[in-house]
Amino acid sequence: LDFYNPIESTILIDYTHDITSSQLGTNQRVYKFQAVGGSDTRIDYVSNSGYNPYIAKDGSAVASISHGQSTVFGGGVNRSAVRVKENSFAVSFNGSAVSGNAEDTSGGWNPTNAITEVTLGSSNNGNSPVNGHIQRFMYYPKGLTNSQLVTLTS
């Protein structure tokens, strides 16, 4: 991926669900940055009750972050910003503070098995659709600050 910075990134997405929470399921994928083949490397954002992006490097989870906010349904906007950087992982959702479980300050990055593919709105085989709309997707080849994450999602 020519636009992707393997050292640090921030991913911002605004999306809606045109369904109810009972219709959501467990794997409605908003986006997935992944290495195709080899050891599991991904930045995987699934809209479910887990409230967290899943970040894996070369087969191991490297960060445990969770914004702890409930998903908005019925066409309301969900804004998420995720920072991925060596020893600096964070998430803000609809203006939530980047503190506590929303930040992880330990964990390696710049995987050996490099990210080569991005999917938006479903998994790479079209399963687990977001059942809504992606209103905005922005990629920053830099790890933005905690205050910038909050501002972008407010």
Side-chain angles (χ1 to χ4, degrees):
L1 296 174
D2 291 339
F3 72 88
Y4 180 75
N5 178 357
I7 306 297
E8 59 183 298
S9 298
T10 301
I11 303 161
L12 171 69
I13 195 158
D14 295 359
Y15 66 96
T16 64
H17 282 301
D18 297 334
I19 55 176
T20 65
S21 61
S22 64
Q23 296 167 319
L24 183 62
T26 57
N27 293 307
Q28 305 325 107
R29 183 149 288 105
V30 180
Y31 63 77
K32 185 176 185 179
F33 285 62
Q34 69 178 354
V36 177
S39 297
D40 183 24
T41 295
R42 60 186 154 133
I43 306 166
D44 197 359
Y45 199 94
V46 175
S47 184
N48 63 21
S49 60
Y51 311 129
N52 54 1
Y54 179 77
I55 303 166
K57 172 190 169 201
D58 300 325
S60 298
V62 294
S64 179
I65 56 178
S66 174
H67 53 71
Q69 306 299 307
S70 295
T71 302
V72 178
F73 293 95
V77 178
N78 297 280
R79 290 183 176 97
S80 171
V82 175
R83 179 180 65 237
V84 177
K85 183 179 176 181
E86 180 93 12
N87 297 321
S88 184
F89 303 88
V91 59
S92 178
F93 183 82
N94 288 347
S96 65
V98 179
S99 60
N101 292 336
E103 185 174 30
D104 188 332
T105 58
S106 66
W109 193 245
N110 193 9
T112 303
N113 191 25
I115 287 175
T116 56
E117 180 178 276
V118 176
T119 55
L120 297 173
S122 69
S123 62
N124 57 350
N125 59 10
N127 292 331
S128 304
V130 75
N131 290 310
H133 298 89
I134 294 174
Q135 296 178 321
R136 175 172 63 161
F137 172 81
M138 297 178 76
Y139 174 82
Y140 298 88
K142 179 175 176 24
L144 299 181
T145 66
N146 289 355
S147 64
Q148 288 172 313
L149 298 180
V150 172
T151 298
L152 286 170
T153 63
S154 294

